[in-house]
Amino acid sequence: MAKVECTPNWKKTGDTSSLRSRKTCLTAEKSFQTPVTPVSKDKDSQTPGCLTGDDTQSSNGPSAQFVARGNIESPSKVLLILVTGLSFSTRLYKITEPPHVCWDETHFGKMGSYYINRTFFFDVHPPLGKMLIGLAGYMTGYDGTFPFIKPGDKYENQNYWGMRGFCGVLGSFLPIFAYLIVLELSQSHTAAIITATLLIFDTGCITISQYILLDPILMFFIMAAVLSMVKFNQQRYRSFTASWWLWLVLIGINLAGALGVKFVGLFVILLVGLNTIWDLWRLLGEMSLSLVDIAKHFLARVFALILLPLLLYVTIFAVHFVVLNKSGPGDGFFSSAFQSRLIGNNLHNASMPEYLAFGSTITIKNLRIAGGYLHSHWHLYPEGTGARQQQVTAYLHKDYNNLWVVHRQHDNDSQSGNPDLVRHGDIIRLEHKETTRNLHSHLHVAPLTKKHFQVTGYGINGTGDANDLWQVEVCAGRKGDPVKVLRSRVRFLHRATGCVLYSSGKTLPKWGWEQIEVTCSPYLKETPSSQWNIEDHINPKLPNISLSVLKPNFLEILLESHIVMFRGNSGLKPKDNEMNSKPWHWPINYQGLRFSGVNGTEYRVYLLGNPVVWWINLISLGLYLTMVAVASIATQRGFSLGRKRTEHSHVLMRGGGLLLLGWLLHYAPFFMMGRVLYFHHYFPAMLFSSMLTGVTLDILFQSADLLLHPPHSDWLQRTGQMVFLFSVLYSFYLFHPLSYGMTGPLAHEPGSSMAGLKWMDSWEF
């Protein structure tokens, strides 16, 4: 490659980091990156038309490049307006239909209501998405009174359209962002339009954007982060300018947004992190930059991509805790100290006896996060599951069946005067208040944890046997130490077998009402699962004290909330007879999801991707890998690809490689997850797949001249583009009722509007 000497217009004196008086600039074929006149580390030391290191620019010079850039931007405005109009119209069309609760609206609509009512709840996802849904409902007149009990419930006169419309608007930005990302990566309007067409007319993307769900909010932040990253990459020669800082800060803001909606936002954080590492490695090779300059770049990225997102993420939770200050259905998932900060909770500003005594009525909470309250009810263990005695479980919610009465070993504590305190080493009997059966264990195997013993309710009105006796042990205590309410960590050792009362964290089947298994563990090591605390304490014979001193600080509740969410996510296992999608199903569009309706008399909506779009994406993945392999082998063997093919190779390797990495990061981790999975989990990966398809098909169409000479190659290219467009639009025409709703006979029944369209037996519309 030829070298030309470029002499800078001036030389700064007295600055050890100034540019050398002479520079070597390389001329090369035009890079796929947006050509920009470079700005050096000092704004005044600009050398027009010269690039350093391995960065290249067109031999036409900067003026020609800016003209080319103008030619790109001019039609881009018209096309962007067209993409915007089509995207918003397809997402907002029939946004209020059907006028009843659909699929997971029963969860996220209800959670939006909780924010409006300031009622505390528990969810396995971070709070930002639900907060925004609640805010959208509040701003559009929804009062938070609709119960969202089950799918199919009529909205009647509720202003639900604001929450749906908010999700629809964010979903409408996805094709727009994808268009802009591909345009930046490929510098091709054709590639960008192909991508936008795939997403605008995909029935799956339309459906998932039209309802009160977290998915459109999550994908909005993911795509906004990727667009900001791509835009920032184009600012590489304008370091520390206003536009450079703008896109860098926007990356951090959108990363915080993605993680604040769902933990799968970590995948786009990983994508940005890998891109940043590569960018810093490239800067390290810039010999014109001093180590001080490289340190500035590093610190700028630490601030914008680590500290700023972390600050925003923590702020989201701070707002969450301030808004949700009233007791609600999520109380039982959290510790007693956490609950004491919630208005309306029985522990908020409460007073109760400080020390546990015989004759007291109490609730006993396991110290494992989401370990539950010791609980019993009239139902018995089924045949074949240990002794057929009364079930004892752990229950996550406040309930009358959580109450137990503390008795001495042999009497019912009917003495007058102040009762005796329960102390470390005392032997007690716990009687269930509602059923009057004693907490009991024996050598029968526990229902789920086979190495543990079964715990049951046994006897009646205090009458039982020796297997009802438990020894109280205060953790880190000594014999004679009293048991402090809320503050003492207590273990209950079974006198007959020597095992310890234990909450396994495992969910019982339906016969156990899907509550948590309680066992007696022969393994005596102290763990949170075998430790309990006394929460509610009723004894009119003892003086009360205030519990306000037990309120935790912000960092404590932040840490506890994350532990609860992580364990909640890991506990999302497939239930009996519950449909569980598999990751290999997703790219082939194997099976969808019913959003609304089942039979021919109901308004049916079915989440399924446009088959042509999804199968083109699948084919394009293989096509991309083939094209990259061919280009790599040709280059390695020394074949001259020519200027056009070299540009295509750069786009495939760099732009396409980034999109392929994004697809893998948002898809491959699901193969390693043990939790229950659904079809909608693939949609973030589908966005990257569609963008990669746009890049791949554009280069494929442009390669028509490998088969035919102009003008026949141009005709072949146009024909391929028209066939692609017609196929996508016609498939959308056929399958659009899946998104916008359908009634009447099912697809396999006579007279159905979807007759003949059930191309796979696994489709259920």
Side-chain angles (χ1 to χ4, degrees):
M1 187 177 297
K3 295 183 179 180
V4 293
E5 297 275 318
C6 292
T7 304
N9 296 332
W10 58 273
K11 182 173 75 173
K12 184 177 178 181
T13 59
D15 185 358
T16 58
S17 63
S18 65
L19 294 174
R20 296 189 181 113
S21 60
R22 299 184 64 81
K23 285 180 175 266
T24 301
C25 296
L26 305 179
T27 61
E29 279 87 21
K30 183 167 68 175
S31 168
F32 79 97
Q33 298 281 357
T34 305
V36 179
T37 300
V39 177
S40 72
K41 58 190 174 182
D42 190 308
K43 293 181 181 180
D44 296 326
S45 59
Q46 182 172 337
T47 308
C50 294
L51 298 180
T52 61
D54 61 349
D55 298 304
T56 61
Q57 76 176 42
S58 172
S59 58
N60 294 329
S63 60
Q65 291 167 356
F66 282 119
V67 170
R69 182 64 175 173
N71 290 336
I72 289 175
E73 291 179 350
S74 180
S76 179
K77 294 179 181 178
V78 176
L79 292 175
L80 183 59
I81 292 173
L82 176 63
V83 168
T84 302
L86 288 173
S87 185
F88 274 84
S89 60
T90 52
R91 270 66 182 167
L92 298 181
Y93 175 63
K94 298 182 72 173
I95 192 73
T96 58
E97 297 293 330
H100 60 246
V101 178
C102 293
W103 194 50
D104 270 358
E105 286 188 326
T106 187
H107 299 303
F108 302 119
K110 182 187 298 181
M111 293 171 187
S113 299
Y114 285 145
Y115 278 104
I116 294 174
N117 296 316
R118 306 191 69 177
T119 303
F120 186 77
F121 67 94
F122 165 70
D123 185 42
V124 297
H125 305 300
L128 179 60
K130 285 95 65 179
M131 289 171 60
L132 293 175
I133 288 172
L135 178 62
Y138 178 78
M139 296 296 290
T140 53
Y142 171 60
D143 58 7
T145 58
F146 187 75
F148 288 96
I149 296 175
K150 65 182 185 303
D153 288 350
K154 298 291 184 182
Y155 282 119
E156 301 297 341
N157 297 320
Q158 298 288 341
N159 290 332
Y160 66 96
W161 60 268
M163 293 182 285
R164 278 194 183 173
F166 170 72
C167 293
V169 168
L170 294 191
S172 300
F173 278 101
L174 301 181
I176 301 170
F177 288 164
Y179 171 88
L180 294 173
I181 291 168
V182 172
L183 184 61
E184 288 291 339
L185 291 177
S186 68
Q187 295 299 296
S188 168
H189 288 108
T190 303
I193 283 296
I194 289 173
T195 299
T197 301
L198 291 169
L199 295 179
I200 288 172
F201 298 106
D202 177 57
T203 51
C205 286
I206 291 173
T207 304
I208 209 165
S209 298
Q210 288 194 312
Y211 297 93
I212 306 171
L213 303 172
L214 298 184
D215 301 271
I217 308 174
L218 170 68
M219 291 189 289
F220 172 87
F221 284 115
I222 289 175
M223 293 295 282
V226 175
L227 176 60
S228 301
M229 179 182 70
V230 171
K231 289 284 190 180
F232 175 74
N233 288 344
Q234 304 295 349
Q235 303 293 319
R236 62 171 59 183
Y237 302 122
R238 297 177 176 176
S239 300
F240 304 107
T241 61
S243 59
W244 187 91
W245 276 111
L246 172 66
W247 292 114
L248 182 60
V249 168
L250 283 177
I251 297 173
I253 293 173
N254 288 304
L255 291 181
L259 186 60
V261 176
K262 281 188 176 184
F263 285 124
V264 293
L266 287 168
F267 301 153
V268 74
I269 290 176
L270 184 56
L271 177 65
V272 171
L274 293 174
N275 178 80
T276 303
I277 292 171
W278 175 254
D279 190 33
L280 288 172
W281 181 254
R282 180 190 60 80
L283 287 173
L284 192 61
E286 292 279 1
M287 302 310 296
S288 61
L289 295 177
S290 68
L291 292 179
V292 173
D293 294 316
I294 294 173
K296 291 178 181 177
H297 277 276
F298 176 77
L299 292 176
R301 286 159 175 80
V302 168
F303 164 74
L305 303 183
I306 298 178
L307 298 181
L308 177 62
L310 184 61
L311 175 63
L312 294 175
Y313 182 75
V314 171
T315 302
I316 290 169
F317 276 89
V319 174
H320 168 74
F321 293 135
V322 168
V323 173
L324 301 186
N325 63 350
K326 298 180 182 178
S327 178
D331 294 15
F333 290 88
F334 293 83
S335 68
S336 305
F338 186 102
Q339 295 178 43
S340 68
R341 51 176 292 279
L342 298 173
I343 299 172
N345 188 282
N346 61 311
L347 299 177
H348 179 73
N349 292 335
S351 59
M352 62 179 63
E354 182 178 9
Y355 297 106
L356 179 64
F358 290 102
S360 296
T361 300
I362 61 174
T363 59
I364 306 172
K365 192 174 191 305
N366 188 256
L367 295 188
R368 173 193 178 100
I369 299 298
Y373 295 92
L374 189 65
H375 177 95
S376 189
H377 40 236
W378 289 105
H379 303 279
L380 306 181
Y381 286 102
E383 291 286 351
T385 309
R388 188 166 168 75
Q389 297 176 6
Q390 184 169 297
Q391 296 175 17
V392 172
T393 65
Y395 189 48
L396 293 174
H397 305 285
K398 304 277 188 176
D399 189 86
Y400 185 77
N401 280 328
N402 298 342
L403 294 175
W404 300 81
V405 181
V406 183
H407 292 299
R408 293 179 182 274
Q409 182 175 356
H410 297 298
D411 61 47
N412 288 327
D413 316 296
S414 57
Q415 73 274 8
S416 60
N418 291 332
D420 292 335
L421 300 181
V422 177
R423 300 180 183 275
H424 179 100
D426 285 353
I427 297 173
I428 66 170
R429 178 169 50 85
L430 289 171
E431 179 185 315
H432 188 241
K433 186 173 179 62
E434 171 66 13
T435 63
T436 71
R437 299 190 189 276
N438 297 327
L439 185 70
H440 177 97
S441 188
H442 42 225
L443 295 179
H444 291 273
V445 175
L448 300 180
T449 309
K450 299 303 182 183
K451 293 184 178 181
H452 291 192
F453 301 132
Q454 183 187 34
V455 175
T456 68
Y458 181 75
I460 190 72
N461 292 326
T463 302
D465 60 22
N467 284 332
D468 302 339
L469 302 180
W470 302 81
Q471 183 171 345
V472 176
E473 179 185 278
V474 178
C475 297
R478 295 178 297 178
K479 186 172 179 62
D481 286 350
V483 177
K484 298 178 181 179
V485 174
L486 293 177
R487 288 174 289 177
S488 289
R489 292 176 292 119
V490 178
R491 302 206 309 166
F492 299 96
L493 287 97
H494 192 240
R495 290 286 292 172
T497 64
C499 57
V500 62
L501 192 66
Y502 189 93
S503 174
S504 71
K506 299 177 182 178
T507 302
L508 293 168
K510 289 184 178 179
W511 57 256
W513 303 94
E514 297 180 348
Q515 295 173 9
I516 297 171
E517 179 193 40
V518 169
T519 68
C520 198
S521 171
Y523 307 103
L524 301 184
K525 180 181 178 181
E526 289 190 6
T527 67
S529 295
S530 65
Q531 295 174 336
W532 307 76
N533 74 283
I534 310 304
E535 184 171 291
D536 297 290
H537 183 207
I538 304 170
N539 194 321
K541 297 180 180 180
L542 293 175
N544 294 335
I545 65 163
S546 174
L547 302 180
S548 59
V549 296
L550 300 176
K551 289 183 180 179
N553 60 43
F554 172 72
L555 291 180
E556 289 173 334
I557 62 177
L558 179 67
L559 176 62
E560 181 175 344
S561 65
H562 278 77
I563 295 174
V564 172
M565 285 189 292
F566 290 147
R567 291 187 174 172
N569 266 299
S570 64
L572 292 176
K573 306 296 183 183
K575 299 177 183 177
D576 295 340
N577 300 319
E578 183 180 27
M579 183 184 66
N580 182 32
S581 182
K582 300 184 184 301
W584 69 265
H585 291 171
W586 304 338
I588 63 176
N589 213 23
Y590 179 77
Q591 190 175 40
L593 272 172
R594 287 196 184 101
F595 266 44
S596 173
V598 177
N599 56 53
T601 62
E602 297 176 322
Y603 190 95
R604 302 189 304 280
V605 176
Y606 189 71
L607 176 67
L608 186 74
N610 181 330
V612 169
V613 170
W614 285 58
W615 294 340
I616 286 177
N617 282 348
L618 185 61
I619 294 170
S620 294
L621 283 170
L623 188 62
Y624 169 80
L625 295 175
T626 302
M627 293 168 66
V628 168
V630 170
S632 299
I633 292 172
T635 302
Q636 188 70 14
R637 294 297 299 171
F639 290 105
S640 177
L641 299 179
R643 177 175 176 177
K644 179 179 177 181
R645 306 289 174 237
T646 301
E647 290 179 354
H648 290 172
S649 179
H650 287 166
V651 172
L652 283 173
M653 299 285 191
R654 300 179 187 177
L658 179 66
L659 298 174
L660 178 66
L661 179 61
W663 176 75
L664 286 172
L665 290 176
H666 286 82
Y667 177 47
F670 288 102
F671 285 93
M672 297 175 282
M673 292 186 185
R675 57 154 290 172
V676 61
L677 299 174
Y678 300 103
F679 176 49
H680 70 98
H681 288 140
Y682 182 68
F683 277 83
M686 184 267 181
L687 299 176
F688 287 94
S689 179
S690 297
M691 291 188 287
L692 183 60
T693 297
V695 172
T696 303
L697 290 186
D698 176 45
I699 292 177
L700 179 67
F701 292 147
Q702 290 189 54
S703 300
D705 58 0
L706 293 174
L707 300 176
L708 299 173
H709 295 291
H712 301 91
S713 61
D714 296 333
W715 298 344
L716 180 60
Q717 179 178 343
R718 296 290 179 263
T719 301
Q721 293 169 350
M722 294 306 296
V723 168
F724 161 79
L725 182 61
F726 175 79
S727 300
V728 171
L729 292 179
Y730 185 64
S731 180
F732 174 73
Y733 167 74
L734 293 177
F735 288 93
H736 77 274
L738 299 180
S739 297
Y740 297 126
M742 51 192 170
T743 55
L746 303 179
H748 63 277
E749 297 174 346
S752 172
S753 60
M754 303 299 290
L757 295 180
K758 194 176 179 183
W759 297 348
M760 298 183 71
D761 292 337
S762 52
W763 295 351
E764 301 172 316
F765 51 82

